[in-house]
Amino acid sequence: MRQTVTTAGDPLPVLPGGAPYDVTVIGAGVVGTAIARELARYPLHTALVEASDDIGNGTSKANTAILHTGFDAVPGSLEARLVREGQRKLSAYAAETGIPVERVGALLVAWDTEQLGALPGLLAKAEANGYHAARILDADEVAAREPLLGPGALGALDVPGESVICPWTTPLAFATQAVRGGVHLHLDCPVRDIRPGAAVHTLATGRGPLRTRFLVNAAGLYADEIDRLLGHDVFTVTPRRGQLIVFDKLARDLVRHILLPVPTAAGKGVLIAPTVFGNVLLGPTAEELDDKTATGSTREGLDQLREKGRRILPRLLDEEVTAVYAGLRAATGQEDYRIQEYPDRRYVAVGGIRSTGLTASMAIADHVIALLARTGLDPGDPTGLEPLTMPGLGEAGRRPYLDAELIARDPAYGTVVCHCERVTAGEIRDALTSTLPPRTVAGLARRTRAGNGRCQGFHCGAALRALTEGAQP
């Protein structure tokens, strides 16, 4: 493992001899961290800069956490190819590293004759995308699959390959391998201006200048603004807010599949899905906004979700709500990714990565490396990365509080700190001493689940804050 470099707060360090970075990736969401991880395989000086205080802190932390098959992508589109490739790569990577995945399958439920008539077209689209496991179910088959479904379902498209995944562990795994592989991670480092040069770009950041030969823009909601700093006006990101409701773990037995509506032009619509943490999600809404920071929930949005949820799975609305949250997707008005290389600028724009970005992330990274080569980068010969095992946050796995042998070796794993989520002192200690430790209680929650349960940190919050603040250098 190379020397790890993660910085925050202080002025940016200068490379030996004042040399520029070879490549800088802007944005440490799931796509940016995947690109940085792939770059770590090459003998390059790479930087990953992030405006916030943690990786995966934007769209990547607030989504529906579905590992898509790509069955309903636009056939022949870049997104269709990268989702298909990314699903295979991320499934294998998750198995290697311990990222929780549950293959629960999905049902696209038709509630009226128009939706029922759309199912053959969706099946044909799936087959055009190379997915041949889907099939159409009649009303009786749907009722047998989901006995608690609301009345009136006429049929469904069965997509058995759809899965749910941990959205927090994935970018954390990518970033951990990137940093251990020599990538410099700079947090609290917003890019405010870019001065392109003939050989070197100079980024004006909130922590001082950063010089780089090649540049990758994976800034998510702000990708259009970074793109304009390079002199382009190709796309505009319109934040699309998705509000979601998280139901208590006692609701988990009510649903067996991801329950999807027949999609519309506005998106995949409101779904009900289990999570790898043992909860049930209802959402998201699809609200076009102007404010890229508007991640609050609204009464109107939550009422809309409850109304739709009552139609899909009536008994779900009788269950306790654990939490509500909202995320923003980067909509650009185009049904495809906005990934483009600019050889004259030694620059690759990675924009318009919508709800499928988690699934496609590793394939996007491969694609970007190829585009960087077309802009003139000679990355050298790739090498392997140090193997990685992530903490097991999934409810279906063997959690530390249940592992008698682990507890016998280290009693800290038998000391429960967060009783709602059964998170132990050993897990919290491991997170706080990891390669990328959390800097906030929210960051600790994404690494351990602590504070995410029924009481939302009411009982353990003070202890979690004290532990997190005490671990800060």
Side-chain angles (χ1 to χ4, degrees):
M1 181 175 70
R2 302 185 199 178
Q3 180 183 8
T4 63
V5 177
T6 302
T7 71
D10 297 326
L12 288 172
V14 178
L15 293 182
Y21 285 103
D22 294 312
V23 186
T24 295
V25 180
I26 302 174
V30 71
V31 172
T33 54
I35 295 168
R37 174 189 173 276
E38 189 61 24
L39 286 166
R41 299 176 61 236
Y42 296 88
L44 299 167
H45 289 105
T46 300
L48 175 62
V49 300
E50 166 58 36
S52 72
D53 63 2
D54 201 359
I55 61 96
N57 217 6
T59 300
S60 299
K61 73 178 181 184
N63 53 63
T64 52
I66 294 176
L67 183 56
H68 297 279
T69 59
F71 77 95
D72 59 346
V74 177
S77 66
L78 178 62
E79 181 181 19
R81 176 171 70 83
L82 295 181
V83 169
R84 187 168 58 248
E85 295 173 2
Q87 191 267 348
R88 290 194 294 266
K89 292 179 70 71
L90 185 51
S91 294
Y93 182 74
E96 293 170 5
T97 58
I99 296 171
V101 174
E102 289 186 47
R103 184 170 173 171
V104 294
L107 298 178
L108 276 77
V109 181
W111 297 96
D112 57 40
T113 55
E114 181 180 357
Q115 293 176 2
L116 185 66
L119 296 184
L122 289 169
L123 177 60
K125 178 183 277 191
E127 292 174 344
N129 281 316
Y131 186 79
H132 301 288
R135 68 186 187 95
I136 295 175
L137 308 180
D138 62 24
D140 290 340
E141 290 177 295
V142 174
R145 290 285 197 92
E146 289 288 352
L148 299 180
L149 205 63
L154 301 179
L157 182 68
D158 176 27
V159 189
E162 296 283 293
S163 304
V164 291
I165 188 171
C166 178
W168 304 325
T169 312
T170 305
L172 182 61
F174 293 159
T176 298
Q177 280 194 306
V179 169
R180 289 182 179 179
V183 172
H184 292 188
L185 172 62
H186 301 305
L187 301 170
D188 294 324
C189 194
V191 175
R192 295 172 175 164
D193 198 7
I194 300 174
R195 189 172 72 248
V200 174
H201 303 308
T202 301
L203 281 58
T205 81
R207 295 175 51 205
L210 182 149
R211 301 172 67 244
T212 186
R213 295 170 54 229
F214 293 81
L215 188 61
V216 177
N217 170 13
L221 292 167
Y222 299 92
D224 57 339
E225 299 176 26
I226 297 296
D227 201 49
R228 290 189 183 99
L229 294 178
L230 272 296
H232 306 129
D233 190 13
V234 178
F235 62 93
T236 297
V237 172
T238 300
R240 181 176 292 160
R241 181 167 61 190
Q243 301 183 50
L244 296 107
I245 301 175
V246 183
F247 287 88
D248 187 77
K249 291 174 175 50
L250 293 175
R252 177 63 183 84
D253 290 339
L254 299 179
V255 62
R256 301 173 181 176
H257 305 76
I258 303 166
L259 300 179
L260 298 166
V262 176
T264 68
K268 292 183 171 63
V270 173
L271 59 84
I272 291 175
T275 76
V276 294
F277 312 119
N279 300 91
V280 176
L281 284 182
L282 170 62
T285 58
E287 308 160 57
E288 302 286 345
L289 305 175
D290 296 324
D291 185 354
K292 294 182 179 180
T293 64
T295 56
S297 299
T298 66
R299 179 185 295 274
E300 295 78 13
L302 299 179
D303 286 347
Q304 175 189 342
L305 292 181
R306 291 189 183 96
E307 179 183 350
K308 292 182 180 295
R310 189 171 288 110
R311 168 78 181 277
I312 303 167
L313 199 69
R315 283 182 53 182
L316 181 63
L317 277 296
D318 296 330
E319 300 295 328
E320 294 290 333
V321 172
T322 294
V324 299
Y325 67 93
L328 300 174
R329 288 103 80 191
T332 64
Q334 173 178 296
E335 284 194 86
D336 204 354
Y337 295 158
R338 301 273 192 162
I339 303 179
Q340 180 65 51
E341 80 277 19
Y342 296 90
D344 60 323
R345 294 287 193 182
R346 303 177 314 286
Y347 163 64
V348 178
V350 186
I353 310 300
R354 304 173 300 164
S355 58
T356 55
L358 172 59
T359 302
S361 55
M362 298 186 79
I364 292 173
D366 288 341
H367 185 59
V368 168
I369 301 303
L371 294 182
L372 281 170
R374 284 162 56 172
T375 68
L377 176 69
D378 180 5
D381 295 325
T383 58
L385 294 172
E386 178 186 341
L388 179 70
T389 300
M390 298 302 293
L393 302 189
E395 196 71 3
R398 188 166 181 80
R399 302 281 304 287
Y401 79 94
L402 293 172
D403 192 331
E405 293 183 4
L406 178 63
I407 294 168
R409 293 195 302 270
D410 187 342
Y413 293 109
T415 304
V416 176
V417 177
C418 171
H419 288 266
C420 294
E421 295 295 295
R422 295 174 176 82
V423 181
T424 66
E427 294 169 274
I428 292 171
R429 177 201 60 206
D430 292 346
L432 293 172
T433 57
S434 64
T435 301
L436 297 177
R439 302 174 65 206
T440 64
V441 172
L444 180 63
R446 292 193 293 275
R447 287 162 173 80
T448 64
R449 289 174 45 176
N452 282 337
R454 294 175 184 173
C455 81
Q456 290 290 287
F458 180 82
H459 287 95
C460 64
L464 297 177
R465 281 192 295 275
L467 289 168
T468 306
E469 292 168 1
Q472 300 301 317

